[in-house]
Amino acid sequence: MNKQLNETAKKVVAKTILAADESTKTITKRLATIGVVSNPEVNRQYRQILFTANEIEKYVSGVILYDETIRQKTDDGIPFTKLLSQEGVIPGIKVDMGTVKFSDDKPDTYTEGLEGLEKRLLEYKNLGAKFAKWRSVFTIAGGSPTDEAVEKNAQDLALYAKICQDAEIVPIVEPEVLMDGNHSIEKDKEVTERVLASVFNKLKAHNVDLSGVILKPNMVTSGKDNPQQADTETVAQTTLEVMKETVPPEVPGIAFLSGGQSPELATRHLNAINKIRNTDQNKYPWRITASFGRALQGEALEAWGGKNENVTVAQKVFIERAEKVFLASLGQL
Ligand code: 13P
């Protein structure tokens, strides 16, 4: 076991992780929802609102940055990574380069970015990153995800994790089974279990040190177009069953993505999961927190609306949500 990696991983999941690593395409989409046109300077101003929010460090222990963002500075010329580190918030970096389809007739994708990864990691490390993130995506539809897609994505997640650890960077391993579709929670359970089992098989096969890994999975829910949505208790119970079945006890932390759930619902689910976890921490040995993008930022983005005069209220809204998510990560909401 690599003590350094394990300690960093534990620190990153100590509170919550803010996913602020939207790619250029994704941040463009998010800003468009408030009528703002994305460019590097606007993106910087928006992310500065989040990173400079008063007492962010009380609720947020890690922030995932994007290649553009890790090079940016505050209005006062302080690099974001330095600002965050000074506040005791650990900077991380998205290192995958997005998804590519296997074929036109199926939704299955694999993720690019292994080429030259070692070199990029060294640069990010010099810029202050202590952890990284790689996202694989799985869609439930017809015969998808196929065995080929599950195998290839699990394999690449393992290769990525190994390269990170060799560079003394903690890998966040993110296999996301999308909520898109009208499938049942049972179907989501089956697929998420299949994906996570494959991911941990490959991580072990590639000698990845599981004590220096953070898992970032989806919660197990009904498909978002299913009119019959599983209730909070069922989501919490089912999600924990899948984690118990697949996640080895050495893994220090599980940080759930929000996946398009509303801030309120994602927070409620996290709280319910941790309430169960608190009843038996031997059975559920990992720290369980959030690494939300939309569910941490959505309300703040709306409150800001691209206007300078709204910065203070946007920060207040962001911190209020961050506090709730942190409390939910303790099952204390
Ligand atoms: P969401 O919480 O908005 O799903 O984003 C998390 C993330 O980082 C996806 O890669």
Side-chain angles (χ1 to χ4, degrees):
M1 167 173 142
N2 180 319
K3 208 159 166 259
Q4 188 65 44
L5 287 172
N6 177 250
E7 266 164 25
T8 302
K10 284 198 285 200
K11 279 186 199 154
V12 173
V13 296
K15 293 166 191 168
T16 69
I17 305 170
L18 167 65
D21 61 328
E22 297 83 3
S23 64
T24 303
K25 198 169 128 201
T26 304
I27 193 71
T28 301
K29 249 190 339 202
R30 301 272 187 271
L31 291 178
T33 64
I34 54 159
V36 170
V37 178
S38 163
N39 62 46
E41 173 53 19
V42 171
N43 302 346
R44 186 195 70 81
Q45 285 171 14
Y46 168 59
R47 279 148 174 166
Q48 174 175 255
I49 295 173
L50 304 173
F51 304 161
T52 60
N54 201 20
E55 300 198 313
I56 181 178
E57 73 282 358
K58 272 173 80 175
Y59 312 117
V60 175
S61 38
V63 173
I64 317 174
L65 304 167
Y66 182 54
D67 182 75
E68 174 186 288
T69 324
I70 198 170
R71 304 166 196 285
Q72 290 180 321
K73 299 175 179 164
T74 64
D75 290 346
D76 303 331
I78 305 167
F80 281 154
T81 49
K82 188 167 175 202
L83 173 91
L84 291 167
S85 303
Q86 279 172 352
E87 287 168 343
V89 180
I90 304 174
I93 179 77
K94 169 190 175 76
V95 298
D96 68 72
M97 313 274 270
T99 57
V100 186
K101 276 185 139 196
F102 280 92
S103 66
D104 284 342
D105 59 337
K106 289 202 199 83
D108 301 286
T109 60
Y110 61 92
T111 301
E112 291 191 313
L114 283 175
E115 210 183 303
L117 178 57
E118 212 179 313
K119 207 167 133 222
R120 287 192 290 130
L121 280 175
L122 290 180
E123 190 197 358
Y124 291 141
K125 204 172 156 179
N126 281 332
L127 287 166
K130 301 265 187 286
F131 68 97
K133 180 192 107 169
W134 177 289
R135 175 174 178 254
S136 287
V137 185
F138 305 88
T139 303
I140 299 178
S144 296
T146 60
D147 287 343
E148 181 196 16
V150 172
E151 164 103 13
K152 160 88 175 147
N153 281 290
Q155 167 90 0
D156 288 353
L157 276 167
L159 292 172
Y160 141 82
K162 184 70 186 149
I163 296 170
C164 284
Q165 290 192 337
D166 287 348
E168 296 283 321
I169 295 266
V170 170
I172 293 189
V173 170
E174 180 181 8
E176 174 175 9
V177 179
L178 295 176
M179 289 175 71
D180 296 1
N182 60 3
H183 52 266
S184 64
I185 187 169
E186 290 79 16
K187 178 72 186 175
D188 195 31
K189 176 176 197 259
E190 176 197 317
V191 173
T192 304
E193 210 164 281
R194 179 156 70 98
V195 166
L196 291 181
S198 180
V199 167
F200 282 104
N201 263 333
K202 298 287 185 190
L203 289 173
K204 285 180 201 150
H206 286 86
N207 294 318
V208 173
D209 178 355
L210 295 180
S211 73
V213 160
I214 296 166
L215 177 69
K216 175 164 174 169
N218 51 285
M219 296 178 189
V220 180
T221 64
S222 315
K224 77 172 182 324
D225 301 326
N226 187 333
Q228 225 121 57
Q229 289 290 310
D231 61 23
T232 304
E233 205 44 43
T234 307
V235 167
Q237 200 58 260
T238 312
T239 301
L240 275 174
E241 276 170 34
V242 173
M243 299 304 132
K244 176 72 206 148
E245 197 56 44
T246 55
V247 187
E250 305 93 286
V251 173
I254 299 175
F256 287 104
L257 57 93
S258 58
Q261 302 177 69
S262 70
E264 208 44 55
L265 191 60
T267 309
R268 204 184 324 139
H269 283 156
L270 181 66
N271 191 54
I273 288 169
N274 275 297
K275 275 204 186 309
I276 301 175
R277 177 188 178 252
N278 289 346
T279 63
D280 193 345
Q281 295 204 6
N282 291 323
K283 186 170 173 190
Y284 311 112
W286 343 268
R287 156 99 180 121
I288 301 182
T289 185
S291 173
F292 293 163
R294 285 162 285 182
L296 269 169
Q297 297 182 46
E299 295 148 314
L301 180 68
E302 213 167 291
W304 176 50
K307 297 194 175 79
N308 262 339
E309 66 260 33
N310 295 337
V311 166
T312 309
V313 62
Q315 289 182 321
K316 185 168 166 277
V317 165
F318 168 59
I319 291 299
E320 278 169 7
R321 176 55 58 192
E323 180 180 12
K324 282 186 193 157
V325 175
F326 175 55
L327 289 174
S329 79
L330 304 172
Q332 289 177 6
L333 198 61

